[in-house]
Amino acid sequence: MELVEESPYRFRIDRHDPMRVPGVVFASESLLPDAGADKSLEQVANVATLPGIVDASYAMPDVHWGYGFPIGGVAATDVARGGVVSPGGVGFDISCGVRLLAADLDRADLGTRLDGLMDALGAAIPRGMGRGAVWHLTGSDELDGVLRGGSRYAVERGFGVERDLHRCEDYGAVADANPAQVSARAIERGAGQVGSLGSGNHFLEVQAVAEVYDEPVAAAFGLRAGQVCVMVHSGSRGLGHQICTDHVRTMEKVMRRYGIEVPDRQLACAPVDSHEGRAYLGAMAAAANYARANRQLLAHAARTAFTRETGSRLDLVYDISHNLAKIETHGTDGDRRSLCVHRKGATRALPPGHPELPEDLRDVGQPVLIPGSMGTSSYVLTGVPGSPAFASTCHGAGRVQSRKQAVKAERGQDPRGQLEAQDIAVRGASRRGLAEEMPAAYKDVSAVVEAAEGAGLCRKIARLVPLGVVKG
């Protein structure tokens, strides 16, 4: 795949048939995927063939191979001009995202209480591949409430406070959710997992603010140097996975009817305004609300344990998704259009002044939460005016090794011991689970953030370091 360096941190894949737009990769040269081992740049070019796509097929600095779309891919299609929606542009873990809570407690004051806190969090947070949840739903009405109301419904039922919703993307719930488009199998998979962490790269971390780059903005977010925080990374669990599976199969069957051809069947899609497109968006919104409620429940469990062990409270900084398709209005080709913006492994980063921001954040921009790989720093960023990719930025470090490769690389090593040698307390993960997620399996998150900032996608506000991690 030939890349043309347009400027520092920006590379172009020239348009060639059947591409409708060019590809654009935001990265430093060292962060570009290895073409021999990672086909994500080919996926960038494939995404550029989608009907109705505008401007470019974008890739963030953490880009790596995914299902259909690369992870770290952003693409917008023009709804009024035959633009499509593709489940592969969202992924299987619909509305997977990050929630950051800040404590009224400094790292120095946590001291010897860390071990007790980690034990309490380890006991309070359901995790792993199977069932287990903070909230044991009593019937279909409650699950319907979750799918329609997300965090709002959870707060109504006593899991959190009203302020939480002001610090959630979409005020805690995506509009136009349609549970009728969620299959019985998806409902079955999700019914027993509301308030559970899952496995893989999902985690709950106790962190400390190690560095602040912009004190006024950090203060507006509720952050200060030395402060203890809790970060939660989880999504829509088995329900979201099944919804993606179901609607990919449906769209595979109907593409020919709409005259759509794609170079990869994993890019199965349908026009946004078709029956199949609307059905997917309704089911996707329901899964997104499930994910918001899931993180709300995990935060509630963490707050309860945190207050019991430390006597301190946890306030929500922000909750943001990085796997979603949203209908948004953006300027393109000189006018404002309604676009279906796919962000897969990419985070929305609204700039200061954006009308969708809560009033107390409107002057400073949206908090953007970038989790590091286990054992490394995480970052809090903010959106900036004039972002070149529909107000989007990276979502994490980005894998450079498959899970199988990571386990092989750690053979004969002691992943838990390596983390504990860095004074990071670990709770609840298997040796294999830790080996899959060790920092060597990922890009350097600091380099990813530097590239995102250098490309004009966002701005650094604070850096956090891990003190303890709960994993499945």
Side-chain angles (χ1 to χ4, degrees), residues 3-25:
L3 289 174
V4 178
E5 186 171 1
E6 294 187 314
S7 62
Y9 305 114
R10 181 175 175 128
F11 295 81
R12 184 181 74 252
I13 302 171
D14 283 328
R15 193 194 73 78
H16 58 270
D17 288 339
M19 293 169 66
R20 301 169 190 264
V21 294
V24 172
V25 183

Side-chain angles (χ1 to χ4, degrees), residues 189-271:
R189 293 184 67 180
Q193 296 181 332
V194 185
S196 62
L197 200 59
S199 58
N201 65 344
H202 297 149
F203 64 78
L204 181 147
E205 278 190 5
V206 178
Q207 303 173 334
V209 180
E211 214 169 351
V212 171
Y213 306 104
D214 186 321
E215 290 190 2
V217 175
F221 289 175
L223 297 171
R224 65 177 186 278
Q227 186 178 25
V228 174
C229 296
V230 171
M231 180 177 280
V232 178
H233 178 206
S234 190
S236 52
R237 305 287 278 113
L239 178 133
H241 193 287
Q242 190 65 45
I243 286 172
C244 181
T245 299
D246 293 339
H247 288 267
V248 165
R249 289 172 180 164
T250 297
M251 291 187 183
E252 282 180 340
K253 296 174 183 176
V254 302
M255 282 193 294
R256 183 174 296 179
R257 181 195 310 164
Y258 295 111
I260 296 172
E261 293 184 12
V262 291
D264 180 353
R265 293 190 67 81
Q266 293 181 358
L267 291 175
C269 57

Side-chain angles (χ1 to χ4, degrees), residues 37-117:
D38 184 314
K39 303 299 185 183
S40 57
L41 297 186
E42 291 183 18
Q43 292 185 311
V44 173
N46 288 344
V47 169
T49 70
L50 290 177
I53 190 169
V54 299
D55 290 4
S57 169
Y58 293 106
M60 300 295 112
D62 51 339
V63 63
H64 57 290
W65 182 86
Y67 181 92
F69 274 55
I71 298 169
V74 175
T77 63
D78 189 331
V79 176
R81 302 185 185 186
V84 297
V85 61
S86 173
V90 173
F92 287 95
D93 196 358
I94 297 168
S95 199
C96 181
V98 186
R99 175 172 288 226
L100 182 67
L101 301 108
D104 56 341
L105 178 72
D106 286 341
R107 179 177 187 174
D109 298 324
L110 183 59
T112 58
R113 289 180 288 181
L114 177 61
D115 276 342
L117 173 60

Side-chain angles (χ1 to χ4, degrees), residues 343-423:
R343 296 182 180 91
K344 179 181 181 177
T347 311
R348 191 159 77 150
L350 300 180
H354 197 283
E356 290 188 39
L357 288 171
E359 190 172 332
D360 63 339
L361 297 178
R362 199 158 294 164
D363 290 340
V364 296
Q366 178 209 301
V368 178
L369 309 175
I370 307 298
S373 53
M374 188 174 54
T376 66
S377 297
S378 296
Y379 284 84
V380 179
L381 318 173
T382 191
V384 295
S387 168
F390 309 109
S392 308
T393 189
C394 56
H395 88 302
R399 294 194 78 96
V400 292
Q401 295 178 344
S402 69
R403 288 184 166 85
K404 185 177 180 179
Q405 289 170 331
V407 170
K408 184 177 180 180
E410 285 292 323
R411 191 171 295 160
Q413 305 298 315
D414 179 8
R416 185 184 298 271
Q418 292 176 50
L419 293 170
E420 290 175 346
Q422 300 176 57
D423 293 324

